[in-house]
Amino acid sequence: MARKMLKDEDMAVADGGSYDYDLFVIGAGSGGVRGSRTSASFGAKVAICELPFNPISSDWQGGHGGTCVIRGCVPKKIMVYGASFWGEFEDSKNFGWEINGDINFNWKKLLENKTQEIVRLNGVYQRILGNSGVTMIEGAGSLVDAHTVEVTKPDSSKQRYTAKHILIATGSRAQRVNIPGKELAITSDEALSLEEVPKRAIILGGGYIAVEFASIWKGMGAEVDLFYRKELPLRGFDDEMRAIVASNLQGRGIRLHPGTNLSELSKTADGIKVVTDKGQELIADVVLFATGRKPNSQRLNLEAAGVEIDQIGAIKVDEYSRTSIPNIWAVGDVTNRINLTPVALMEATCFSVSDYSNLSPYQNGCVKFFFLCNSSNFTFNL
Ligand code: NDP
Protein backbone atom coordinates (compact mmCIF):
# COMPACT_ATOMS: atom_id res chain seq x y z
CA MET A 1 0.00 0.00 0.00
CA ALA A 2 1.45 3.39 -0.99
CA ARG A 3 1.92 6.00 1.68
CA LYS A 4 1.48 9.71 1.47
CA MET A 5 4.43 11.61 0.04
CA LEU A 6 5.88 13.93 2.67
CA LYS A 7 6.17 17.57 1.70
CA ASP A 8 8.43 20.17 3.25
CA GLU A 9 5.69 21.39 5.57
CA ASP A 10 5.22 17.82 6.85
CA MET A 11 8.92 17.60 7.48
CA ALA A 12 9.17 20.87 9.35
CA VAL A 13 11.03 20.61 12.63
CA ALA A 14 11.69 23.33 15.12
CA ASP A 15 14.89 24.75 13.73
CA GLY A 16 16.96 26.26 16.49
CA GLY A 17 19.55 27.58 14.07
CA SER A 18 22.84 25.99 13.19
CA TYR A 19 23.81 22.47 14.21
CA ASP A 20 27.06 20.52 14.17
CA TYR A 21 25.47 17.97 11.83
CA ASP A 22 22.40 17.58 9.67
CA LEU A 23 22.06 14.03 10.88
CA PHE A 24 23.52 12.25 13.91
CA VAL A 25 23.12 8.47 13.91
CA ILE A 26 23.38 6.38 17.07
CA GLY A 27 24.48 2.83 16.25
CA ALA A 28 26.49 1.57 13.25
CA GLY A 29 24.76 -1.73 12.59
CA SER A 30 22.94 -2.59 9.39
CA GLY A 31 20.33 0.18 9.74
CA GLY A 32 22.62 2.90 11.05
CA VAL A 33 25.35 2.40 8.44
CA ARG A 34 22.84 2.30 5.58
CA GLY A 35 20.93 5.38 6.85
CA SER A 36 24.05 7.45 7.39
CA ARG A 37 25.94 6.67 4.20
CA THR A 38 22.84 7.08 2.03
CA SER A 39 22.06 10.42 3.65
CA ALA A 40 25.69 11.52 3.21
CA SER A 41 25.53 10.59 -0.45
CA PHE A 42 22.65 13.05 -0.79
CA GLY A 43 24.81 15.82 0.65
CA ALA A 44 23.90 15.74 4.34
CA LYS A 45 26.62 16.34 6.92
CA VAL A 46 26.44 13.13 8.94
CA ALA A 47 28.07 11.74 12.09
CA ILE A 48 27.62 8.28 13.54
CA CYS A 49 28.64 6.90 16.92
CA GLU A 50 29.35 3.26 17.71
CA LEU A 51 30.94 1.32 20.57
CA PRO A 52 34.44 -0.22 20.28
CA PHE A 53 34.61 -3.59 18.51
CA ASN A 54 34.14 -6.83 20.42
CA PRO A 55 32.58 -10.10 19.18
CA ILE A 56 30.49 -10.22 22.39
CA SER A 57 28.35 -7.14 22.92
CA SER A 58 27.91 -5.31 26.22
CA ASP A 59 26.95 -1.85 27.37
CA TRP A 60 30.43 -0.68 26.33
CA GLN A 61 31.33 -2.91 23.40
CA GLY A 62 29.80 -3.45 19.99
CA GLY A 63 31.44 -2.49 16.70
CA HIS A 64 30.74 -1.23 13.20
CA GLY A 65 28.63 -3.80 11.38
CA GLY A 66 26.39 -4.56 14.35
CA THR A 67 24.73 -7.82 15.31
CA CYS A 68 24.29 -9.28 11.83
CA VAL A 69 27.93 -8.88 10.83
CA ILE A 70 29.72 -9.39 14.14
CA ARG A 71 27.57 -11.77 16.18
CA GLY A 72 24.68 -12.84 13.97
CA CYS A 73 24.11 -13.85 10.36
CA VAL A 74 27.73 -13.75 9.18
CA PRO A 75 29.50 -15.77 11.92
CA LYS A 76 26.46 -18.03 12.13
CA LYS A 77 26.74 -18.87 8.43
CA ILE A 78 30.44 -19.63 8.80
CA MET A 79 29.56 -22.10 11.55
CA VAL A 80 26.66 -23.60 9.62
CA TYR A 81 29.01 -24.26 6.69
CA GLY A 82 31.60 -25.73 9.07
CA ALA A 83 29.03 -28.02 10.66
CA SER A 84 27.49 -29.17 7.38
CA PHE A 85 30.58 -31.20 6.36
CA TRP A 86 29.92 -33.88 8.99
CA GLY A 87 26.80 -35.09 7.16
CA GLU A 88 28.58 -34.80 3.81
CA PHE A 89 31.43 -37.03 4.97
CA GLU A 90 28.90 -39.60 6.20
CA ASP A 91 26.81 -39.47 3.02
CA SER A 92 29.84 -39.64 0.73
CA LYS A 93 30.48 -43.25 1.83
CA ASN A 94 27.25 -44.26 0.09
CA PHE A 95 28.50 -42.69 -3.11
CA GLY A 96 31.75 -44.55 -3.44
CA TRP A 97 34.02 -42.36 -1.34
CA GLU A 98 36.42 -44.19 0.90
CA ILE A 99 37.83 -41.95 3.54
CA ASN A 100 41.03 -43.48 4.89
CA GLY A 101 42.49 -42.19 8.10
CA ASP A 102 41.07 -39.80 10.67
CA ILE A 103 38.84 -36.91 9.86
CA ASN A 104 39.47 -34.29 12.49
CA PHE A 105 37.56 -31.16 13.18
CA ASN A 106 39.62 -28.21 14.46
CA TRP A 107 37.23 -25.85 16.25
CA LYS A 108 39.96 -23.33 17.12
CA LYS A 109 40.86 -23.01 13.44
CA LEU A 110 37.23 -22.33 12.51
CA LEU A 111 36.89 -19.80 15.34
CA GLU A 112 40.10 -18.06 14.28
CA ASN A 113 38.91 -17.82 10.67
CA LYS A 114 35.49 -16.60 11.81
CA THR A 115 37.10 -13.88 13.92
CA GLN A 116 39.38 -12.86 11.04
CA GLU A 117 36.37 -12.52 8.76
CA ILE A 118 34.31 -10.38 11.14
CA VAL A 119 37.34 -8.17 11.85
CA ARG A 120 37.72 -7.75 8.08
CA LEU A 121 34.04 -6.86 7.68
CA ASN A 122 34.20 -4.46 10.62
CA GLY A 123 36.99 -2.67 8.72
CA VAL A 124 34.96 -2.73 5.49
CA TYR A 125 32.03 -1.04 7.24
CA GLN A 126 34.30 1.68 8.62
CA ARG A 127 35.83 2.25 5.19
CA ILE A 128 32.40 2.52 3.58
CA LEU A 129 31.41 5.17 6.11
CA GLY A 130 34.71 7.03 5.75
CA ASN A 131 34.49 6.96 1.95
CA SER A 132 30.96 8.33 2.18
CA GLY A 133 32.20 11.29 4.20
CA VAL A 134 30.48 10.23 7.43
CA THR A 135 32.25 11.31 10.64
CA MET A 136 32.78 8.30 12.90
CA ILE A 137 32.80 8.83 16.65
CA GLU A 138 33.64 6.00 19.03
CA GLY A 139 31.46 5.74 22.11
CA ALA A 140 27.95 5.32 23.51
CA GLY A 141 25.40 7.90 22.39
CA SER A 142 22.48 9.14 24.48
CA LEU A 143 20.04 12.00 24.12
CA VAL A 144 20.40 15.27 25.98
CA ASP A 145 17.47 16.90 24.22
CA ALA A 146 15.76 16.64 20.84
CA HIS A 147 18.77 18.07 18.99
CA THR A 148 21.73 17.05 21.19
CA VAL A 149 23.51 13.71 21.53
CA GLU A 150 26.08 13.11 24.24
CA VAL A 151 28.74 10.52 23.42
CA THR A 152 30.56 8.78 26.27
CA LYS A 153 33.96 7.84 24.84
CA PRO A 154 35.92 4.70 25.77
CA ASP A 155 38.11 6.82 28.11
CA SER A 156 34.86 7.93 29.89
CA SER A 157 35.11 11.51 28.61
CA LYS A 158 31.89 12.96 27.26
CA GLN A 159 31.26 15.16 24.27
CA ARG A 160 28.04 16.71 23.00
CA TYR A 161 27.02 17.12 19.36
CA THR A 162 24.01 18.94 17.98
CA ALA A 163 22.07 17.78 14.94
CA LYS A 164 19.01 18.81 13.06
CA HIS A 165 17.90 15.17 12.79
CA ILE A 166 18.79 12.19 14.95
CA LEU A 167 18.46 8.57 13.80
CA ILE A 168 18.45 5.82 16.44
CA ALA A 169 19.57 2.41 15.16
CA THR A 170 20.83 0.62 18.25
CA GLY A 171 19.36 -2.80 17.48
CA SER A 172 18.48 -5.40 20.07
CA ARG A 173 20.12 -7.66 22.64
CA ALA A 174 19.60 -11.33 23.45
CA GLN A 175 17.37 -11.81 26.48
CA ARG A 176 17.62 -14.45 29.22
CA VAL A 177 14.63 -16.12 30.81
CA ASN A 178 14.27 -15.32 34.46
CA ILE A 179 14.90 -18.64 36.21
CA PRO A 180 17.24 -19.51 39.10
CA GLY A 181 20.78 -19.98 37.78
CA LYS A 182 20.11 -18.01 34.57
CA GLU A 183 23.61 -16.49 34.77
CA LEU A 184 25.05 -19.95 34.01
CA ALA A 185 23.44 -19.92 30.57
CA ILE A 186 24.92 -18.22 27.52
CA THR A 187 23.25 -16.38 24.64
CA SER A 188 24.02 -16.51 20.93
CA ASP A 189 26.72 -13.80 21.42
CA GLU A 190 28.86 -16.12 23.54
CA ALA A 191 27.83 -19.23 21.58
CA LEU A 192 29.61 -17.81 18.53
CA SER A 193 32.85 -17.36 20.46
CA LEU A 194 33.10 -20.46 22.69
CA GLU A 195 36.62 -21.70 23.40
CA GLU A 196 35.57 -25.33 22.89
CA VAL A 197 32.71 -27.09 21.13
CA PRO A 198 30.44 -28.36 23.91
CA LYS A 199 30.17 -32.14 24.25
CA ARG A 200 26.72 -31.86 25.84
CA ALA A 201 24.59 -28.88 24.86
CA ILE A 202 21.13 -27.93 26.07
CA ILE A 203 19.22 -25.30 24.15
CA LEU A 204 16.08 -23.49 25.26
CA GLY A 205 13.87 -21.96 22.56
CA GLY A 206 12.21 -23.00 19.35
CA GLY A 207 13.06 -20.03 17.13
CA TYR A 208 15.65 -19.58 14.39
CA ILE A 209 18.61 -19.30 16.71
CA ALA A 210 17.74 -22.39 18.74
CA VAL A 211 17.23 -24.55 15.67
CA GLU A 212 20.37 -23.22 13.99
CA PHE A 213 22.64 -23.83 16.99
CA ALA A 214 21.16 -27.30 17.56
CA SER A 215 22.21 -28.17 14.00
CA ILE A 216 25.60 -26.46 14.25
CA TRP A 217 26.63 -28.17 17.48
CA LYS A 218 25.25 -31.55 16.42
CA GLY A 219 27.17 -31.21 13.17
CA MET A 220 30.32 -30.69 15.22
CA GLY A 221 29.74 -33.83 17.23
CA ALA A 222 27.90 -32.62 20.34
CA GLU A 223 24.99 -34.32 22.11
CA VAL A 224 22.17 -31.81 21.79
CA ASP A 225 18.88 -31.53 23.72
CA LEU A 226 16.45 -28.91 22.41
CA PHE A 227 13.64 -27.70 24.70
CA TYR A 228 10.74 -25.55 23.54
CA ARG A 229 7.31 -24.62 24.85
CA LYS A 230 5.21 -25.39 21.80
CA GLU A 231 4.52 -28.76 20.18
CA LEU A 232 6.73 -27.85 17.21
CA PRO A 233 9.66 -25.45 16.71
CA LEU A 234 9.50 -22.27 14.59
CA ARG A 235 6.23 -20.75 15.76
CA GLY A 236 4.60 -18.68 13.04
CA PHE A 237 5.85 -20.77 10.14
CA ASP A 238 3.76 -23.19 8.08
CA ASP A 239 2.78 -26.17 10.29
CA GLU A 240 3.69 -28.78 7.71
CA MET A 241 7.13 -27.24 7.32
CA ARG A 242 7.57 -27.07 11.12
CA ALA A 243 6.80 -30.80 11.38
CA ILE A 244 9.35 -31.59 8.65
CA VAL A 245 11.99 -29.45 10.38
CA ALA A 246 11.31 -31.27 13.68
CA SER A 247 11.59 -34.63 12.00
CA ASN A 248 14.84 -33.62 10.25
CA LEU A 249 16.32 -32.36 13.52
CA GLN A 250 15.51 -35.72 15.10
CA GLY A 251 16.92 -37.47 12.07
CA ARG A 252 20.23 -35.70 12.68
CA GLY A 253 20.25 -37.08 16.22
CA ILE A 254 19.08 -34.00 18.10
CA ARG A 255 16.87 -34.92 21.08
CA LEU A 256 13.69 -32.85 20.97
CA HIS A 257 11.68 -31.94 24.09
CA PRO A 258 8.48 -30.25 22.89
CA GLY A 259 6.13 -28.61 25.38
CA THR A 260 8.91 -28.43 27.96
CA ASN A 261 10.55 -25.46 29.66
CA LEU A 262 13.59 -25.19 31.92
CA SER A 263 12.97 -24.24 35.52
CA GLU A 264 16.40 -24.14 37.17
CA LEU A 265 20.12 -24.27 36.43
CA SER A 266 22.86 -24.99 38.95
CA LYS A 267 26.58 -25.68 38.85
CA THR A 268 27.90 -29.15 39.67
CA ALA A 269 31.34 -30.75 39.44
CA ASP A 270 30.24 -32.51 36.26
CA GLY A 271 28.73 -29.52 34.49
CA ILE A 272 25.54 -27.45 34.59
CA LYS A 273 22.57 -29.29 36.10
CA VAL A 274 19.32 -28.47 34.33
CA VAL A 275 15.91 -29.16 35.84
CA THR A 276 12.87 -29.00 33.56
CA ASP A 277 9.28 -28.14 34.41
CA LYS A 278 8.52 -31.84 33.96
CA GLY A 279 11.01 -32.77 36.65
CA GLN A 280 13.72 -34.18 34.33
CA GLU A 281 17.34 -33.57 35.34
CA LEU A 282 20.16 -33.37 32.81
CA ILE A 283 23.80 -32.30 32.87
CA ALA A 284 25.32 -30.13 30.16
CA ASP A 285 28.58 -28.35 29.37
CA VAL A 286 26.72 -25.45 27.82
CA VAL A 287 23.15 -24.16 28.21
CA LEU A 288 22.06 -21.74 25.49
CA PHE A 289 19.08 -19.43 25.94
CA ALA A 290 17.77 -18.72 22.46
CA THR A 291 14.67 -17.05 23.79
CA GLY A 292 14.36 -13.92 21.70
CA ARG A 293 15.85 -10.47 21.78
CA LYS A 294 14.73 -7.17 23.24
CA PRO A 295 15.16 -3.64 21.87
CA ASN A 296 18.38 -1.95 22.92
CA SER A 297 16.84 1.29 24.14
CA GLN A 298 17.60 1.39 27.86
CA ARG A 299 20.66 3.61 27.86
CA LEU A 300 19.62 6.19 25.31
CA ASN A 301 18.06 8.62 27.83
CA LEU A 302 15.05 8.79 25.52
CA GLU A 303 12.93 10.51 28.15
CA ALA A 304 15.18 13.58 27.99
CA ALA A 305 13.82 14.29 24.52
CA GLY A 306 10.36 12.82 25.09
CA VAL A 307 10.81 9.85 22.73
CA GLU A 308 8.12 7.28 23.56
CA ILE A 309 8.69 3.55 23.95
CA ASP A 310 6.25 0.65 24.27
CA GLN A 311 5.93 -1.83 27.14
CA ILE A 312 8.91 -3.94 25.99
CA GLY A 313 11.14 -0.91 25.40
CA ALA A 314 10.74 -0.67 21.61
CA ILE A 315 10.84 2.89 20.25
CA LYS A 316 7.41 3.80 18.90
CA VAL A 317 7.57 4.98 15.29
CA ASP A 318 5.07 5.81 12.58
CA GLU A 319 5.09 4.33 9.08
CA TYR A 320 7.90 6.74 8.16
CA SER A 321 10.14 5.55 11.05
CA ARG A 322 9.51 8.84 12.82
CA THR A 323 9.34 8.75 16.63
CA SER A 324 7.04 10.81 18.84
CA ILE A 325 9.54 13.67 18.39
CA PRO A 326 9.41 15.07 14.83
CA ASN A 327 13.17 15.29 14.16
CA ILE A 328 14.08 11.97 15.83
CA TRP A 329 13.80 8.77 13.82
CA ALA A 330 14.43 5.08 14.53
CA VAL A 331 14.98 2.02 12.35
CA GLY A 332 15.74 -1.67 12.83
CA ASP A 333 15.32 -3.96 15.82
CA VAL A 334 15.14 -1.10 18.33
CA THR A 335 11.65 -0.45 16.90
CA ASN A 336 10.67 -4.17 17.10
CA ARG A 337 8.82 -4.30 13.79
CA ILE A 338 10.14 -7.17 11.64
CA ASN A 339 13.51 -7.92 13.19
CA LEU A 340 15.59 -8.94 10.21
CA THR A 341 18.64 -7.30 8.64
CA PRO A 342 17.10 -6.76 5.19
CA VAL A 343 14.15 -5.00 6.84
CA ALA A 344 16.46 -2.68 8.80
CA LEU A 345 18.34 -1.95 5.57
CA MET A 346 15.14 -1.12 3.74
CA GLU A 347 13.82 1.05 6.57
CA ALA A 348 17.13 2.93 6.60
CA THR A 349 17.21 3.33 2.84
CA CYS A 350 13.72 4.75 3.02
CA PHE A 351 14.92 7.17 5.60
CA SER A 352 17.51 9.42 4.03
CA VAL A 353 17.83 12.99 4.87
CA SER A 354 19.90 15.78 3.51
CA ASP A 355 19.63 19.35 4.46
CA TYR A 356 19.65 22.12 1.91
CA SER A 357 22.22 24.11 3.81
CA ASN A 358 24.82 21.53 2.77
CA LEU A 359 23.90 21.08 -0.85
CA SER A 360 26.00 23.75 -2.47
CA PRO A 361 24.44 23.47 -5.95
CA TYR A 362 21.09 24.20 -4.37
CA GLN A 363 22.00 26.83 -1.86
CA ASN A 364 18.84 28.34 -0.48
CA GLY A 365 17.04 26.03 -2.84
CA CYS A 366 15.54 24.03 -0.05
CA VAL A 367 16.22 20.57 -1.40
CA LYS A 368 15.28 17.75 0.84
CA PHE A 369 15.31 14.11 0.07
CA PHE A 370 13.19 11.81 2.05
CA PHE A 371 12.97 8.44 0.46
CA LEU A 372 9.95 7.01 2.15
CA CYS A 373 8.67 3.73 1.03
CA ASN A 374 7.53 0.33 1.92
CA SER A 375 9.06 -2.73 0.34
CA SER A 376 6.84 -2.56 -2.71
CA ASN A 377 6.44 1.11 -3.31
CA PHE A 378 8.88 4.02 -3.27
CA THR A 379 7.60 7.54 -3.03
CA PHE A 380 10.00 10.42 -2.70
CA ASN A 381 10.09 14.14 -2.93
CA LEU A 382 12.94 16.42 -3.94
P1 NDP B 1 12.55 -15.96 18.36
O1 NDP B 1 11.72 -14.84 18.84
O2 NDP B 1 12.51 -16.37 16.95
O3 NDP B 1 12.23 -17.27 19.22
C1 NDP B 1 12.24 -17.20 20.63
C2 NDP B 1 11.96 -18.59 21.15
O4 NDP B 1 12.14 -18.55 22.55
C3 NDP B 1 10.55 -19.07 20.88
O5 NDP B 1 10.57 -20.43 20.62
C4 NDP B 1 9.86 -18.77 22.21
O6 NDP B 1 8.85 -19.68 22.53
C5 NDP B 1 10.98 -19.01 23.19
N1 NDP B 1 10.81 -18.29 24.43
C6 NDP B 1 10.63 -16.97 24.63
N2 NDP B 1 10.51 -16.68 25.93
C7 NDP B 1 10.61 -17.87 26.57
C8 NDP B 1 10.54 -18.23 27.93
N3 NDP B 1 10.36 -17.32 28.90
N4 NDP B 1 10.66 -19.54 28.26
C9 NDP B 1 10.84 -20.47 27.28
N5 NDP B 1 10.91 -20.18 25.98
C10 NDP B 1 10.79 -18.89 25.63
O7 NDP B 1 14.02 -15.57 18.85
P2 NDP B 1 15.47 -16.07 18.49
O8 NDP B 1 16.23 -15.87 19.76
O9 NDP B 1 15.49 -17.40 17.85
O10 NDP B 1 15.92 -15.03 17.40
C11 NDP B 1 16.02 -13.62 17.74
C12 NDP B 1 15.79 -12.75 16.52
O11 NDP B 1 16.81 -12.96 15.58
C13 NDP B 1 14.48 -13.05 15.83
O12 NDP B 1 13.86 -11.82 15.52
C14 NDP B 1 14.89 -13.78 14.58
O13 NDP B 1 13.97 -13.55 13.53
C15 NDP B 1 16.24 -13.19 14.28
N6 NDP B 1 17.06 -14.15 13.55
C16 NDP B 1 17.02 -14.16 12.20
C17 NDP B 1 17.75 -15.07 11.48
C18 NDP B 1 17.68 -15.07 10.02
O14 NDP B 1 17.19 -14.15 9.41
N7 NDP B 1 18.17 -16.13 9.39
C19 NDP B 1 18.60 -16.05 12.13
C20 NDP B 1 18.57 -15.97 13.54
C21 NDP B 1 17.81 -15.06 14.22
P3 NDP B 1 7.33 -19.54 22.03
O15 NDP B 1 7.34 -19.84 20.57
O16 NDP B 1 6.64 -20.56 22.86
O17 NDP B 1 6.94 -18.13 22.35
Side-chain angles (χ1 to χ4, degrees), residues 76 177 204-210 212 229-230 235 261 290-293 339-340:
K76 183 273 306 287
V177 293
L204 176 62
Y208 268 139
I209 294 182
E212 285 169 342
R229 299 190 290 199
K230 301 279 187 301
R235 169 173 49 87
N261 211 334
T291 45
R293 299 176 65 86
N339 297 331
L340 296 170

Side-chain angles (χ1 to χ4, degrees), residues 297-315:
S297 63
Q298 295 79 18
R299 296 167 62 250
L300 293 168
N301 201 25
L302 296 171
E303 55 285 0
V307 174
E308 289 176 13
I309 54 174
D310 69 11
Q311 65 284 0
I312 65 152
I315 296 180

Side-chain angles (χ1 to χ4, degrees), residues 171-231:
S172 60
R173 292 266 176 81
Q175 64 175 351
R176 287 158 190 271
V177 293
N178 195 14
I179 58 171
K182 62 176 188 246
E183 66 287 350
L184 297 172
I186 59 168
T187 69
S188 54
D189 274 20
E190 295 87 9
L192 289 161
S193 295
L194 287 177
E195 291 288 311
E196 307 283 344
V197 188
K199 289 191 173 55
R200 301 160 298 178
I202 287 182
I203 301 174
L204 176 62
Y208 268 139
I209 294 182
V211 166
E212 285 169 342
F213 271 99
S215 298
I216 290 170
W217 284 337
K218 186 68 204 173
M220 291 169 178
E223 289 297 308
V224 180
D225 287 89
L226 178 61
F227 292 84
Y228 44 90
R229 299 190 290 199
K230 301 279 187 301
E231 277 315 298

Side-chain angles (χ1 to χ4, degrees), residues 56-358:
I56 298 172
S57 68
S58 68
D59 284 352
W60 299 106
Q61 296 188 301
H64 293 80
T67 300
C68 176
V69 170
I70 298 172
R71 57 194 81 81
C73 326
V74 171
K76 183 273 306 287
K77 274 180 197 152
I78 292 172
M79 299 217 164
V80 168
Y81 292 149
S84 66
F85 288 102
W86 174 79
E88 299 285 313
F89 292 135
E90 285 299 305
D91 288 350
S92 69
K93 295 175 192 162
N94 299 322
F95 295 88
W97 289 91
E98 290 170 3
I99 299 169
N100 300 309
D102 292 343
I103 299 177
N104 295 315
F105 172 62
N106 186 335
W107 167 257
K108 288 204 173 2
K109 182 78 188 163
L110 180 64
L111 201 66
E112 205 178 285
N113 289 349
K114 183 268 300 184
T115 304
Q116 255 178 36
E117 179 58 9
I118 60 174
V119 167
R120 187 186 73 82
L121 289 172
N122 174 255
V124 167
Y125 272 77
Q126 293 187 53
R127 273 200 302 285
I128 289 173
L129 287 168
N131 292 343
S132 305
V134 175
T135 302
M136 282 171 278
I137 300 161
E138 196 170 59
S142 62
L143 299 181
V144 175
D145 58 43
H147 289 281
T148 311
V149 175
E150 181 173 86
V151 179
T152 305
K153 309 271 173 79
D155 65 3
S156 299
S157 64
K158 294 178 192 293
Q159 191 155 350
R160 291 183 176 189
Y161 304 89
T162 58
K164 186 166 187 181
H165 293 276
I166 294 170
L167 174 65
I168 300 170
T170 47
S172 60
R173 292 266 176 81
Q175 64 175 351
R176 287 158 190 271
V177 293
N178 195 14
I179 58 171
K182 62 176 188 246
E183 66 287 350
L184 297 172
I186 59 168
T187 69
S188 54
D189 274 20
E190 295 87 9
L192 289 161
S193 295
L194 287 177
E195 291 288 311
E196 307 283 344
V197 188
K199 289 191 173 55
R200 301 160 298 178
I202 287 182
I203 301 174
L204 176 62
Y208 268 139
I209 294 182
V211 166
E212 285 169 342
F213 271 99
S215 298
I216 290 170
W217 284 337
K218 186 68 204 173
M220 291 169 178
E223 289 297 308
V224 180
D225 287 89
L226 178 61
F227 292 84
Y228 44 90
R229 299 190 290 199
K230 301 279 187 301
E231 277 315 298
L232 290 169
L234 298 178
R235 169 173 49 87
F237 284 83
D238 173 72
D239 283 347
E240 202 176 333
M241 191 279 287
R242 294 169 71 198
I244 291 170
V245 169
S247 147
N248 284 349
L249 290 171
Q250 264 174 326
R252 303 191 86 191
I254 295 162
R255 289 188 289 264
L256 302 186
H257 303 266
T260 312
N261 211 334
L262 305 188
S263 32
E264 189 177 346
L265 310 182
S266 57
K267 209 170 183 169
T268 70
D270 189 29
I272 303 168
K273 184 169 115 181
V274 174
V275 182
T276 74
D277 60 359
K278 290 184 174 159
Q280 287 164 280
E281 291 187 3
L282 298 90
I283 299 281
D285 304 308
V286 164
V287 178
L288 169 66
F289 283 169
T291 45
R293 299 176 65 86
K294 64 173 183 231
N296 191 17
S297 63
Q298 295 79 18
R299 296 167 62 250
L300 293 168
N301 201 25
L302 296 171
E303 55 285 0
V307 174
E308 289 176 13
I309 54 174
D310 69 11
Q311 65 284 0
I312 65 152
I315 296 180
K316 290 186 189 174
V317 286
D318 66 12
E319 62 201 312
Y320 299 100
S321 296
R322 190 180 219 164
T323 70
S324 50
I325 302 302
N327 68 300
I328 303 183
W329 311 75
V331 295
D333 284 13
V334 75
T335 63
N336 195 32
R337 286 175 282 181
I338 298 174
N339 297 331
L340 296 170
T341 297
V343 176
L345 291 174
M346 183 54 83
E347 287 166 2
T349 304
C350 299
F351 164 87
S352 282
V353 59
S354 70
D355 188 74
Y356 52 89
S357 59
N358 291 292

